[in-house]
Amino acid sequence: VIRCRAAVAWAVGKPLSVEEVEVAPPKAGEVRVKIVATGICHTDEHLLEGSFPNVDFPVIPGHEGAGIVESVGEGVTSVKPGDKVIPLCLPQCGECTFCLNPESNYCLKCHVSEPQNLLPDKTSRFTCKGKQIHHFLWVSTFAEYTVIPEYAVAKIDAAAPLDKVCLLGCGFPTGYGAAINTAKVKPGSTCAVFGVGGVGLSVVMGCKAAGASRIIAVDINKDKFAKAKELGATDCISPHDFKKPIQEVLTEMTGHGVDYSFEVIGHADTMTAALASCNMNTGVCVMVGVPASGSVISLDPMLLLSGRTWKGTLLGGWKTRHSIPKLVSSYLEKKFNSDVLITHTLPIAKVNEGFELLRAGK
C-alpha cells in the first residue's frame, strides 16, 4: 500500500480537500501509476457541482493526467514499471462491439454505459481516514498514485514531457478531433466555434489544421479572443455586442450560415444556436460541450428537416489506446502546439485555486 496525497471531494458543492490517502496495489489486469501532472477540465467542475451523472461521493476527481507506471497486476502485458503513460477517461477494452467497429471510438466499459466509481471488480483501491473513496472515470488523476484497468492506460513516447502532454488525456484531443474526425472539416470551409476555452481553442486548431478558410470564435469573454486569433480564428464576436440572436449574426456574416459549427460550452440554448448558425442544407453542427445531466433541448424540427447534420463527439472520435500515443508523437514532431493552452501551473496543494481560475474564465 502506498500512502500519498490526493484531492478528495467529500460532498457535492464543497471545496476539494488535500488528504493523505492509501492506494492499494493493483490487482490482476490493473496498473498503478504515479501521476506527475494533471489538467483541470470543466468536467471536473461539473462533478463538484453535482451535475455529472452517476458519480458517488466521496471521490477523487481528475481525468486529464500523465504519469509513470509504478507497478502492474497479474496478466498486464502492454505496460511495465517505468513506462510513461496517459490514463484514458474513455477506455478501449478492444473486445466489445464498439471497440471492434473501426468507425466507432466508444467502449461499453465507459462511464456512459456503466458507472466507473469502482474498478471492474466493484471494489476501490483508495481509502482515507478509514473510509472507502470512489474512483472517477477509473482514472482519478488528482491523486499522486492511482490504480487503473490496463485497457484505460496508453503507453506513450518516453521523450514526452508529462507536464505538457497531460492535456492530451482529454481537452486537446476532444476539441482537435471534433474538427478533424467528427466534422471532417474540408479545406476552404467556414467554421464557427461557440466557446473558446481550452477545448474550444483546440477546435480552432483542428479547423485550421484541416484548412478552413474562415474560423469565427464566439464567446462572451473577450479576454479569450487574443489566444483564439493566435491559434487561427479569423473573426471573434461576442453575443453581448448584438441585439439579435447570434445565429442571425453568423448567417449574415457568411451568407447562408457556416459550413461547420461547434458548441463547446454545454448549454442547451447555445447548442440550438450553433445548429441554427450552420448552412440549412449541408451544414454540420458538432456538440462537444457536456450539458448538465437532465438537460433537455427543445427544437424546431425544420432546423434538421432541411438537411443539416447534428452530431455529438466523445473525446474527439479518437480510439484512445491506438490514437493518444500517436497524438503524443505528433506533439513531439511539433505538428501542433497544445502548450499554448496552459495558462497556470500550480502544485496539487493549490488545486482549489485552480478551480477558482477556471470559474473566473482565466
Side-chain angles (χ1 to χ4, degrees):
V1 173
I2 290 178
R3 284 182 174 72
C4 66
R5 289 178 307 165
V8 179
W10 289 102
V12 171
K14 295 273 192 300
L16 288 161
S17 174
V18 177
E19 309 271 8
E20 184 180 82
V21 298
E22 294 86 42
V23 185
K27 295 187 185 175
E30 296 173 357
V31 180
R32 186 159 60 181
V33 177
K34 178 185 183 182
I35 297 290
V36 174
T38 180
I40 294 180
C41 168
H42 221 105
T43 305
D44 301 305
E45 171 70 350
H46 286 320
L47 164 91
L48 298 180
E49 292 167 344
S51 59
F52 195 84
N54 307 326
V55 170
D56 291 335
F57 287 77
V59 59
I60 297 173
H63 63 283
E64 188 179 88
I68 297 163
V69 174
E70 177 272 334
S71 59
V72 299
E74 190 187 329
V76 171
T77 55
S78 61
V79 293
K80 63 186 186 305
D83 283 347
K84 285 187 178 180
V85 292
I86 288 181
L88 305 170
C89 53
L90 176 62
Q92 186 186 340
C93 75
E95 295 172 352
C96 70
T97 49
F98 287 96
C99 282
L100 294 172
N101 176 351
E103 291 180 9
S104 151
N105 80 313
Y106 189 73
C107 173
L108 283 173
K109 300 273 194 234
C110 94
H111 186 83
V112 185
S113 285
E114 53 180 82
Q116 297 172 334
N117 303 317
L118 297 168
L119 290 183
D121 72 348
K122 303 299 179 230
T123 62
S124 170
R125 301 292 164 271
F126 297 125
T127 49
C128 179
K129 299 176 179 172
K131 284 197 174 126
Q132 169 181 283
I133 308 293
H134 293 94
H135 294 249
F136 178 52
L137 303 180
W138 281 341
V139 292
S140 292
T141 57
F142 289 2
E144 289 176 316
Y145 286 86
T146 184
V147 178
I148 311 168
E150 180 182 16
Y151 45 72
V153 177
K155 180 182 172 178
I156 59 168
D157 194 309
L162 297 175
D163 60 331
K164 304 290 195 287
V165 299
C166 61
L167 297 184
L168 274 57
C170 173
F172 176 77
T174 296
Y176 194 72
I180 288 178
N181 299 328
T182 310
K184 297 185 168 55
V185 169
K186 291 183 180 139
S189 59
T190 57
C191 303
V193 182
F194 286 68
V196 279
V199 183
L201 290 170
S202 304
V203 175
V204 170
M205 288 161 129
C207 293
K208 188 181 179 189
S213 61
R214 195 171 182 194
I215 302 166
I216 305 166
V218 183
D219 204 304
I220 55 175
N221 180 352
K222 293 183 178 177
D223 294 344
K224 306 267 186 193
F225 290 167
K227 203 165 259 190
K229 287 208 156 146
E230 183 193 329
L231 290 172
T234 52
D235 310 71
C236 295
I237 58 175
S238 165
H240 287 169
D241 290 346
F242 301 93
K243 293 273 195 297
K244 59 179 84 165
I246 197 68
Q247 56 265 39
E248 291 178 23
V249 176
L250 286 162
T251 302
E252 282 173 17
M253 283 172 74
T254 53
H256 294 288
V258 295
D259 298 308
Y260 305 95
S261 63
F262 301 86
E263 200 277 359
V264 205
I265 304 161
H267 290 167
D269 53 349
T270 40
M271 285 179 182
T272 322
L275 179 66
S277 67
C278 67
N279 165 331
M280 68 185 289
N281 183 239
T282 57
V284 175
C285 175
V286 180
M287 213 187 270
V288 191
V290 179
S293 61
S295 301
V296 173
I297 297 176
S298 61
L299 181 71
D300 175 352
M302 280 309 292
L303 283 172
L304 290 171
L305 200 64
S306 57
R308 285 182 183 89
T309 303
W310 206 4
K311 307 177 86 166
T313 186
L314 204 58
L315 224 128
W318 305 100
K319 269 195 187 293
T320 49
R321 289 194 88 194
H322 291 156
S323 304
I324 301 299
K326 290 178 187 162
L327 279 173
V328 170
S329 300
S330 297
Y331 167 86
L332 292 170
E333 290 159 15
K334 298 193 164 40
K335 289 191 175 160
F336 54 80
N337 181 13
S338 48
D339 293 359
V340 290
L341 304 175
I342 301 171
T343 55
H344 300 77
T345 304
L346 301 166
I348 188 70
K350 294 188 176 176
V351 64
N352 287 311
E353 285 181 37
F355 278 93
E356 289 306 321
L357 289 162
L358 174 88
R359 290 171 195 132
K362 293 178 179 170

